[in-house]
Amino acid sequence: YGGDAHDIGHPVGPLGEDSFLLTGYSRGFGASGPNDVWMVRIDGRGEPLGQSLRGGAGADHNIQVRPAGGGDLALVGYTTSRGFGDWDAEVLVVSPDLEERWSAMYGGPGADGAVAVFAAPPGDLVIAGYTETQGGAGRDILVYRLARYNPS
């Protein structure tokens, strides 16, 4: 997979029967910044079924993807395109058709990023990562529980 520029794949998440979401970032395919989050929907044989880019003028990276409930997937990573400071942690929830359902950013003037996500009862999302904005000197652990993600 890829185009004529730098394309990096990270995790793969299930989208239902015989369909998966490959995620990562791309500098090609019309990326609006140095890197955009790149999502490729593939079938069980690895054939592409569709793709989408999401990003802005800065760098956007996806690190992990996990089921979010209702058939949706939650992606986490970091961005300099939007937010509060240097790098900011970003959560993006997409439908099986790669349509954005919901997104949020967390951070401050330092470097902050999300590297893990999982669904927790009763429909919450938990993200983990790092922060230079909160806590002591240097990087500290960042954990947020996002209450009642509702896929409808």
Side-chain angles (χ1 to χ4, degrees):
Y1 305 100
D4 59 357
H6 191 75
D7 303 304
I8 298 293
H10 282 297
V12 175
L15 277 173
E17 285 190 39
D18 208 31
S19 179
F20 303 90
L21 181 64
L22 169 66
T23 62
Y25 63 89
S26 176
R27 293 182 182 166
F29 302 108
S32 55
N35 298 311
D36 281 355
V37 171
W38 183 36
M39 299 173 277
V40 182
R41 185 177 179 186
I42 58 174
D43 66 18
R45 295 179 313 275
E47 295 297 321
L49 301 172
Q51 69 178 1
S52 178
L53 285 176
R54 182 180 188 279
D60 300 278
H61 293 263
N62 175 64
I63 301 300
Q64 190 177 60
V65 59
R66 291 280 190 257
D72 293 343
L73 291 172
L75 293 77
V76 295
Y78 46 92
T79 181
T80 63
S81 292
R82 300 162 295 286
F84 310 102
D86 193 0
W87 292 100
D88 290 304
E90 184 170 28
V91 181
L92 171 64
V93 177
V94 297
S95 72
D97 295 325
L98 309 183
E99 296 296 321
E100 181 178 327
R101 299 254 200 227
W102 179 84
S103 68
M105 284 162 290
Y106 302 92
D112 306 286
V115 298
V117 61
F118 68 92
D124 298 354
L125 291 176
V126 177
I127 64 169
Y130 58 88
T131 180
E132 291 180 355
T133 299
Q134 302 172 25
R139 285 193 174 172
D140 291 309
I141 295 171
L142 171 140
V143 178
Y144 285 121
R145 185 171 186 138
L146 310 177
R148 300 243 182 221
Y149 162 72
N150 184 353
S152 56

